[in-house]
């Protein structure tokens, strides 16, 4: 059943999942750019294993905070909170599995070249002309 609580839960999970995914891809690119990892399976496994603990901590803390709302969801006054809590907990589990297993596989398949440094000019410097930045 679609309710206001479940819609709020969807938005909450969407934000957490997007944040975890962006941070993981950014970490893959950081490993490739600044730590000299070569694009491949080793880079993805290292990046995913280094992001495992923060993702599990975020999911665990949010899941533990939502658990009382699920346990006591049949009490009067919790008509909006219970569907929200169920959607958030289910979404946290699903998004954690997707971020830890599916996202690294997609990055391995489609992410080649996204982390490499380019030879483009530093357009944030004040001495760089607009013509050089637009090339």
């Amino acid at each position: 059943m679609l309710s206001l609580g479940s819609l709020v839960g969807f938005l909450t999970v969407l934000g957490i999942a997007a944040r975890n995914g962006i941070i993981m891809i950014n970490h893959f690119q950081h490993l490739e750019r600044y730590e000299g990892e070569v694009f491949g399976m080793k880079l993805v496994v290292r990046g995913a294993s280094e992001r495992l603990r923060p993702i599990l901590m975020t999911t665990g803390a949010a899941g533990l905070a939502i658990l009382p709302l699920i346990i006591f969801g049949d009490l009067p006054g919790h008509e909006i909170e219970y569907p929200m809590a169920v959607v958030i907990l289910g979404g946290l589990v699903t998004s954690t599995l997707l971020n830890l297993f599916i996202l690294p596989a997609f990055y391995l398949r489609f992410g080649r070249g996204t982390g490499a440094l380019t030879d483009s000019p530093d357009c944030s410097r004040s001495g760089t002309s607009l013509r050089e930045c637009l090339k």
Side-chain angles (χ1 to χ4, degrees), residues 7-132:
L7 288 175
V8 170
F10 282 126
L11 289 175
T12 303
V13 169
L14 179 68
I16 292 172
R19 177 189 167 276
N20 284 340
I22 289 168
I23 289 175
M24 183 171 289
I25 289 174
N26 190 21
H27 188 62
F28 291 154
Q29 292 173 343
H30 172 80
L31 290 175
E32 192 173 355
R33 286 180 187 160
Y34 302 110
E35 296 193 21
E37 282 286 338
V38 178
F39 182 84
M41 181 65 84
K42 184 178 176 188
L43 171 114
V44 172
V45 169
R46 178 181 171 195
S49 64
E50 288 177 358
R51 292 296 309 155
L52 175 66
R53 184 174 296 141
I55 289 175
L56 290 179
M57 291 298 291
T58 302
T59 303
L64 286 175
I66 292 295
L67 206 57
L69 295 174
I70 293 176
I71 293 171
F72 301 113
D74 58 347
L75 296 175
H78 293 275
E79 293 85 10
I80 293 178
E81 295 170 352
Y82 180 71
M84 177 187 67
V86 170
V87 168
I88 289 175
L89 189 63
L92 284 174
V93 170
T94 305
S95 70
T96 300
L97 293 174
L98 288 173
N99 275 318
L100 291 176
F101 297 109
I102 304 300
L103 184 66
F106 276 2
Y107 186 79
L108 191 60
R109 173 66 179 98
F110 300 110
R112 180 175 302 278
T114 60
L117 288 175
T118 61
D119 293 332
S120 62
D122 184 11
C123 295
S124 63
R125 275 188 318 146
S126 61
T128 307
S129 70
L130 181 61
R131 183 169 290 161
E132 290 177 17

